[in-house]
Amino acid sequence: MRPIDRRTFNQMVAKGTAGAAILSAAPFACAMGSTQEKKKLGIALVGLGSYSTYQLAPALQDTQHCYLAGIVTGTPEKEKTWATKYDIPKGNIYNYDNFDNIADNDAIDVVYVVLPNSMHAEFAIRAAKAAKHVICEKPMGINVAECDAIIDACKKAGVKLGMGYRLHSEPYTQQVKQFVKDKTFGDIQYVGAEAAYRSTGNPDQWRLNKKLSGGGALMNMGVYAIQSAIYGTGENPISVSAQEFSTRPEYFKDTDETIMAQFEFPSGAVANMSTSHNFNANSMYVSGTSGWFLLQPANNYGPLSGRTSRGEEIKFPHESQQKLQMDDFAKHVLFGEPNKAPGEMGKRDMMIVEAIYASIAKGGQTMGLDFEPGFGFGG
Ligand code: NAD
């Protein structure tokens, strides 16, 4: 029997055909320590900025099904500090130039792209070509074409692709989805969604540089408000109209400061979203024919908080959302559990982002959206 190399095996796991391979090549699979036999997947973080440093790496110390196995950084000083702090072997440390050599590293199963938005597509595609499973931070890219290229590369390589949409793994958001599915508050008629913070830092930061970010508040926090509108109704929108507001053009030279948008859904429900880099707001309010519920905050790192028209508090014990998210993705890879935030979800959101910018460019004109029902929904 022809032996299967590790990369081929990973691809078979991703395609769900590894079971047969294990049965027919059991001794070999045991000997090579396959992805499926691994209790924990090795994750390499690409980009060691604030999200990797303060959220993902600490969360990876508590994950059950994955661990911090490697790093990819463009800053040589970080190699030493991270290696010491997290006991990362030299062989699992890469820079942006030699990153493709990760293909030969069996300790790395998943590459998590945590770079400025304009770099997501390049590194997600390089990771897929190296036969590594990919987690891509939000927004998926800076346009829909990039999202398509990432999805295609992962399909071609037979690797799994997940978005860094941490809320889909945390209990408040799951409760929202359950309320909507069970019609606990009747048919949903309205969602109000806000995701915003006031930016006052370095005006030269990449988030305010369109080339690196793809856009301003909408690309950054706006994605959460779009998501709230969708899981708050349980539907993809059929149209959007949008408006942009600017009060600090000297600071927001290159990117949008505040955007509001209105969605229509197939059921007749409507949603209103606000996103900004100029004010603080973080909530989702969902109104149905027999009551309402509110999350506030709805999309920060938690603890989240909520209540309903029945006078109940929505309350769950707090856990790291990033820990839950990365474990969910690992369980998807290892055990075939549902992908809570597939690549198509990132693409759908980018299609909506593009429609919002198009509406603004046309003076607030209503733009039609034509999604297959459930397109981009996670499991
Ligand atoms: P950051 O600015 O703190 O870090 C960016 C990293 O990219 C740094 O390590 C920097 O050295 C590196 N980098 C490489 N090339 C660069 C360039 N040309 N310009 C600037 N930096 C460059 O950013 P962050 O907050 O860690 O965000 C990284 C990604 O993670 C973004 O896509 C962001 O949207 C996403 N993010 C997601 C969440 C979430 O809750 N899911 C939260 C924060 C950030």
Side-chain angles (χ1 to χ4, degrees):
M1 185 190 319
R2 189 174 66 88
I4 318 163
D5 65 20
R6 171 71 192 284
R7 208 181 311 177
T8 311
F9 189 84
N10 274 351
Q11 291 176 354
M12 293 170 81
V13 169
K15 285 175 182 153
T17 52
I22 290 172
L23 288 176
S24 60
F28 178 71
C30 290
M32 72 183 191
S34 72
T35 299
Q36 277 201 333
E37 287 164 0
K38 276 191 171 183
K39 286 206 177 77
K40 287 189 166 197
L41 297 183
I43 292 195
L45 296 175
V46 189
L48 308 179
S50 66
Y51 196 53
S52 287
T53 303
Y54 301 113
Q55 302 301 326
L56 298 177
L60 281 164
Q61 308 314 301
D62 290 331
T63 36
Q64 284 185 324
H65 302 286
C66 51
Y67 72 104
L68 180 58
I71 50 173
V72 185
T73 177
T75 315
E77 306 85 70
K78 289 185 187 168
E79 294 186 9
K80 211 182 270 170
T81 43
W82 278 66
T84 309
K85 184 163 185 189
Y86 293 113
D87 199 17
I88 298 170
K90 208 169 179 331
N92 293 358
I93 299 175
Y94 296 87
N95 57 44
Y96 301 145
D97 296 326
N98 67 17
F99 169 65
D100 305 286
N101 297 341
I102 208 164
D104 302 320
N105 189 336
D106 280 358
I108 312 291
D109 303 287
V110 178
V111 166
Y112 193 155
V113 181
V114 203
L115 289 161
N117 308 340
S118 65
M119 300 170 78
H120 291 182
E122 178 193 337
F123 280 84
I125 291 166
R126 285 169 72 179
K129 285 187 175 157
K132 303 299 175 186
H133 304 292
V134 179
I135 307 177
C136 181
E137 254 319 317
K138 46 67 47 181
M140 192 171 188
I142 59 170
N143 54 47
V144 174
E146 287 193 350
C147 301
D148 277 330
I150 296 171
I151 291 170
D152 286 352
C154 289
K155 277 201 181 126
K156 225 173 256 165
V159 297
K160 304 282 196 187
L161 169 63
M163 290 295 302
Y165 284 143
R166 56 192 157 75
L167 294 172
H168 288 272
S169 294
E170 68 80 36
Y172 290 83
T173 304
Q174 285 171 349
Q175 179 68 78
V176 165
K177 290 190 206 169
Q178 201 63 45
F179 281 155
V180 173
K181 191 171 171 211
D182 296 347
K183 294 188 187 284
T184 311
F185 298 94
D187 294 322
I188 304 306
Q189 296 172 306
Y190 172 72
V191 177
E194 300 171 331
Y197 67 82
R198 183 166 166 84
S199 175
T200 54
N202 174 8
D204 297 324
Q205 62 184 282
W206 69 260
R207 279 191 172 83
L208 305 181
N209 174 335
K210 194 170 178 194
K211 209 163 162 241
L212 290 168
S213 62
L218 183 61
M219 281 278 182
N220 185 16
M221 298 304 286
V223 177
Y224 292 107
I226 291 170
Q227 287 250 323
S228 292
I230 292 172
Y231 54 70
T233 55
E235 299 179 281
N236 284 327
I238 51 174
S239 78
V240 65
S241 50
Q243 309 80 38
E244 181 175 355
F245 303 88
S246 168
T247 60
R248 292 159 61 204
E250 70 291 351
Y251 181 74
F252 300 108
K253 291 188 200 83
D254 201 23
T255 56
D256 44 280
E257 174 185 318
T258 296
I259 284 179
M260 303 201 183
Q262 303 77 43
F263 299 101
E264 293 176 293
F265 293 88
S267 65
V270 291
N272 195 23
M273 66 156 268
S274 309
T275 188
S276 181
H277 275 161
N278 189 48
F279 57 76
N280 297 311
N282 194 320
S283 71
M284 75 178 289
Y285 171 81
V286 181
S287 180
T289 46
S290 58
W292 55 263
F293 58 91
L294 170 75
L295 289 189
Q296 188 174 39
N299 53 56
N300 65 14
Y301 301 151
L304 304 184
S305 174
R307 60 197 164 88
T308 78
S309 54
R310 300 190 299 212
E312 304 146 328
E313 200 181 348
I314 305 172
K315 194 160 179 58
F316 296 96
H318 179 63
E319 273 191 282
S320 156
Q321 298 169 351
Q322 291 79 7
K323 174 194 138 185
L324 297 169
Q325 169 218 323
M326 290 186 281
D327 264 343
D328 273 345
F329 185 74
K331 286 189 275 182
H332 172 57
V333 173
L334 285 167
F335 315 125
E337 290 194 13
N339 190 348
K340 294 228 165 107
E344 286 74 13
M345 185 184 277
K347 173 183 169 175
R348 175 202 63 194
D349 294 350
M350 189 57 57
M351 290 168 78
I352 295 171
V353 162
E354 286 193 351
I356 288 174
Y357 283 133
S359 170
I360 291 166
K362 293 184 173 169
Q365 191 179 308
T366 300
M367 311 301 293
L369 291 162
D370 188 17
F371 295 110
E372 293 286 320
F375 176 77
F377 279 43

